Amino acid sequence: MDDSNNSTNALSLNESQDEKRPLWKKDNPPRLKALLESFRSCCLCTYEAILERRALFLVFLSCFFYAFRNLAAKVITRTVDPIEIAVFERTTMMICTIPVILYKRYSMKVSREVATILVATGVINCLSMIFVILSFKLINVGDANAIVASKPVFVGILGWILLREVPTLRDYSAGVACIIGIVFLSKPTIIFNPNALSHDDNLYGVLATVVGTIFTTIAAILKRLLGLREVQPQIAIFYFSMVSSFTSCILCTIFQRWTWPESTKIQLFLVGSGFLGYLANVCILFALWTEKTFHVTIIGSSTVIVVFFLQYVILHVPPDAYSIAGSVFVLASTIAITMRKTEAPNQVS
């Protein structure tokens, strides 16, 4: 009798210990055990890879923040002027940094050189945002984001014009591919439908996006300078958001665009757009501290894919063949330019 009780207790003890074991260490069938072990090792490898290159993970995360923010801006542009959207968004971004700065007790003092870069970043960021949001009003968000992704191409063009840098054959090829992609995205009636006499908003929307992309390119270079000088991201966002907000207020007053949206939904979209822009900028600035511009640019280009997907799911606007072809050309030109920029240092060394 005692032996049976002892065996029962031992069995129950083994069962309780087996329940406490992890799933992959239980007495499972061999195939299931091997599958669980491989899944566990895959998760561990993924976790270690994210920890090792967490800056690139932040860039990938910023793609989703930018995508949702751009879709929110698309909805808002139906009732609110782009300049006023810039005021609300930059003010929200500035307010979001204040609790973090107070909690961490960051010093607000910056050198004169850094202050100059911050002011220039704020003004140029304001202009880029206004033009890009204006393009959202005229064309699809996915098409506009595909053009914005061509920043490295515009860096090469500005370097050729301003710095007299001699372009290579790859630069010329990337520039031609970028122009072809922009033509596909703009779909001008003179090429795709010569008999149409209607007003073509696509062309104006693409022109606004190109101008906004040029300003965005300059702002990205200035942000990289802030990263090289190790300016704390919260401090950088606070100052250039304050300058952008002040610049937007001046433009709003000059062009008499002041309105206050009565809809609570639109007000929430404005605040949410600013908060998402804040999160995206924090991720990008942290990434530029440790990662090369090439890696940040390539992963940041995936915003185009995310925006096209969310545009189809949320706004029910499927991309057409011209949009897909144009996006492929623009992304190909971006990858070609950025690959050349990383190959050059390796050849020198």
Side-chain angles (χ1 to χ4, degrees):
M1 188 71 177
D2 294 335
D3 293 338
S4 62
N5 289 333
N6 291 335
S7 61
T8 304
N9 293 332
L11 183 62
S12 61
L13 181 63
N14 291 333
E15 288 178 354
S16 62
Q17 288 178 351
D18 189 61
E19 288 178 358
K20 292 179 181 179
R21 289 179 187 176
L23 187 62
W24 58 86
K25 289 185 178 180
K26 289 184 179 181
D27 295 332
N28 295 311
R31 287 187 179 179
L32 179 60
K33 192 172 183 180
L35 182 63
L36 291 172
E37 188 66 33
S38 61
F39 178 73
R40 174 177 171 269
S41 60
C42 180
C43 291
L44 285 175
C45 291
T46 304
Y47 178 71
E48 290 173 359
I50 289 175
L51 281 181
E52 184 180 355
R53 306 300 296 275
R54 54 185 175 273
L56 295 181
F57 177 73
L58 288 175
V59 178
F60 183 72
L61 200 60
S62 73
C63 295
F64 286 89
F65 292 144
Y66 274 128
F68 280 108
R69 171 251 187 189
N70 292 341
L71 289 175
K74 174 70 175 179
V75 175
I76 298 169
T77 51
R78 298 170 184 171
T79 54
V80 184
D81 191 81
I83 304 177
E84 193 173 9
I85 294 175
V87 175
F88 282 102
E89 181 171 320
R90 295 304 170 181
T91 305
T92 304
M93 286 176 59
M94 180 182 67
I95 293 172
C96 287
T97 61
I98 294 175
V100 181
I101 292 173
L102 293 177
Y103 179 76
K104 294 288 186 178
R105 297 182 180 179
Y106 290 131
S107 174
M108 302 295 291
K109 293 181 180 179
V110 294
S111 64
R112 183 173 296 180
E113 180 187 9
V114 171
T116 305
I117 298 174
L118 286 169
V119 171
T121 305
V123 174
I124 293 171
N125 230 321
C126 169
L127 296 175
S128 69
M129 182 182 174
I130 290 171
F131 278 104
V132 171
I133 292 179
L134 177 62
S135 70
F136 293 162
K137 193 173 185 177
L138 301 174
I139 61 176
N140 289 334
V141 183
D143 296 350
N145 273 273
I147 298 173
V148 174
S150 65
K151 285 186 289 187
V153 179
F154 286 95
V155 169
I157 294 173
L158 290 175
W160 176 45
I161 295 173
L162 301 177
L163 304 178
R164 303 298 179 186
E165 294 179 348
V166 180
T168 62
L169 180 61
R170 182 183 290 184
D171 294 333
Y172 285 120
S173 302
V176 171
C178 183
I179 292 171
I180 292 173
I182 290 174
V183 169
F184 273 115
L185 290 168
S186 61
K187 298 183 279 290
T189 52
I190 192 172
I191 297 176
F192 293 93
N193 193 7
N195 297 323
L197 299 176
S198 61
H199 181 69
D200 194 356
D201 283 340
N202 274 336
L203 186 59
Y204 295 112
V206 168
L207 288 176
T209 314
V210 169
V211 174
T213 304
I214 294 173
F215 285 125
T216 304
T217 303
I218 301 171
I221 294 172
L222 293 173
K223 286 180 183 178
R224 177 59 177 163
L225 291 176
L226 293 173
L228 291 174
R229 283 156 181 77
E230 296 186 351
V231 180
Q232 222 293 325
Q234 301 292 339
I235 301 296
I237 293 173
F238 174 81
Y239 278 120
F240 76 66
S241 297
M242 181 177 65
V243 174
S244 292
S245 179
F246 184 69
T247 307
S248 304
C249 288
I250 293 174
L251 293 175
C252 227
T253 304
I254 292 174
F255 293 103
Q256 297 180 357
R257 299 294 183 181
W258 285 111
T259 57
W260 178 255
E262 297 180 358
S263 173
T264 308
K265 177 183 175 182
I266 298 299
Q267 294 173 8
L268 291 175
F269 269 110
L270 283 169
V271 176
S273 174
F275 183 66
L276 290 170
Y278 162 74
L279 293 177
N281 273 280
V282 169
C283 292
I284 291 294
L285 285 170
F286 269 117
L288 288 173
W289 267 28
T290 55
E291 291 293 338
K292 295 179 180 179
T293 312
F294 163 70
H295 298 144
V296 175
T297 303
I298 290 298
I299 297 180
S301 299
S302 58
T303 306
V304 179
I305 302 170
V306 177
V307 167
F308 271 127
F309 175 74
L310 293 178
Q311 181 179 258
Y312 176 71
V313 172
I314 297 175
L315 300 181
H316 307 291
V317 180
D320 56 15
Y322 293 124
S323 297
I324 295 173
S327 301
V328 169
F329 273 106
V330 169
L331 289 177
S333 65
T334 300
I335 294 172
I337 287 289
T338 49
M339 283 181 66
R340 182 189 70 81
K341 289 181 181 297
T342 51
E343 286 173 2
N346 295 333
Q347 292 172 359
V348 172
S349 58

